[in-house]
Amino acid sequence: MLQVAVVGSGPSGVYTAQSLVQQDRVPGVRVDVIDRLPCPYGLVRYGVAPDHEKIKSLQNNLRTVLEHDRVRFLGGIDIGPGGFPVARLLGLYHAVVYCVGAAADRKLGVPGEDLPGSHSATEFVSWYSAHPDAAADGFVGSGFVGGVESAVVIGVGNVAVDVARMLARGVDELRPTDMPQAALGVLAESRVREVHMVGRRGPSQARFTTKELRELGSLPDTEVIVDPAELALDPAYADPSGLPAAGRRNVEVMRGWAERPAQHLPRRIRLRFFLRPVAVSDAVGRVGGVRFERTLPDGRGGVTGSGQYEDIPAQLVLRSVGYRGVPIDGLPFDAGLGTVPHLTGRVLRAGAASPGEYVAGWIKRGPTGVIGTNRPCAKETVQSLLDDAPALVQRDVPDDPLSALRDAGLRPVEWQGWLSIERAEAELGAALGRGVVKIPDWAGLLAAARGA
Ligand code: NAP
């Protein structure tokens, strides 16, 4: 019987497991879904913003897969450097599918980006999502509470929209979410009044989706401000009819905002375009703002510098310029693309498909697309794996890989352990007079998983 390990329990990993157990070409496939964390769901738990309850409820669909008879969740197992080696894992299963996502953030490569007060959006997201690797004092020690009135978010993708919206939310809107208590306390005291979200190209080239963009305009006490003259630098602004549908809808939303009279609300999100970051400026050892060069469209979808500069003062800078895949020790890696080289999901070693090794999700195709994009991506990989199955099952593997993992000294958090964490988070929330509240640290998660 075909035994498969899926490494990573985010959407791509769970959709891979689902495709494997819901097909009938190779009956009876067994799947272990392994995760480094004791909690499943990857970026659905640790990336989707806490106020996006509807998207988070996708966890219920993913749960059904992880509770399938022939699927097991094995949390708390680190594969790769310092953890369980890739080669040994392949010895325990007929096939291993890596669905590890893109864990790092891209750098800007400008002076000052590592100054105190300048963070990657990923750090901020991890902190308010209670990721156990997020720095314990998170944004408390960075001066976030004291004195931040203006924040700059660099990038105009959906992550930028998420962090801008979280900065603009009031405590009453955040309390009903599952965000950790400490982060809620910090954001409750936030004095942020201006959030500048800045793109280096034009409004028609912004990467955010229209639903997410439109939501910014419906935040209580927050006004979205756009400068029609700046938007009009984009040739497609005056007549967006030739744009792809997503770009056209985005431009239409922004045109609506440009025509609206000022509302003078307490908080403002300023959408800015054609500004390329050149330095994060230093105000006595910490962030004082960002220097941008004004850009101009080059007529080919890109921009050129104009030699004119603008400084936006800010005490907090969030760099939201995309994720980047991280190499897994023992697997090939294309450092330029930040992905594992593959052919329809089969890992390529020196240009040839490596028997039994596969990839799906962001580590396969790069950090693009919405959650649903992972479904066809996983399906393609599973088709390749099933095509290879007759050869793969010829190799002897242990009857129960879990015993072998335990013999190697690992103590996986199984499904019951995760259910204990869920119960502990519900109890924590009840004790705080809130709904479910996430546990933000390794010790707390592992204690809850072991029923302590
Ligand atoms: P993204 O969509 O790739 O956006 C990255 C942004 O950073 C772009 O505006 C890009 O501009 C800009 N950028 C890149 N390098 C830059 C530089 N050196 N200087 C200035 N700007 C730079 O990435 P993301 O926002 O991290 O999102 C990742 C994926 O997750 C996306 O597919 C997104 O849709 C998805 N996601 C979805 C949701 C949702 O559906 N609610 C929520 C969060 C994330 P250029 O275009 O000019 O390169």
Side-chain angles (χ1 to χ4, degrees), residues 52 55 106 108 154-160 162 200-201 205 207 209 212 277 320-323 362 367-370:
H52 273 178
I55 308 181
R106 295 210 335 236
L108 275 180
I154 299 174
V156 283
N158 276 333
V159 171
D162 277 348
R200 61 181 172 179
R201 297 191 289 155
Q205 292 143 332
R207 303 271 191 99
T209 41
E212 277 60 31
S320 183
V321 294
Y323 292 93
W362 278 2
T368 57
V370 293

Side-chain angles (χ1 to χ4, degrees), residues 333-352:
F333 190 70
D334 181 328
L337 296 175
T339 54
V340 170
H342 74 96
L343 185 67
T344 56
R346 292 180 181 92
V347 171
L348 295 176
R349 288 185 184 269

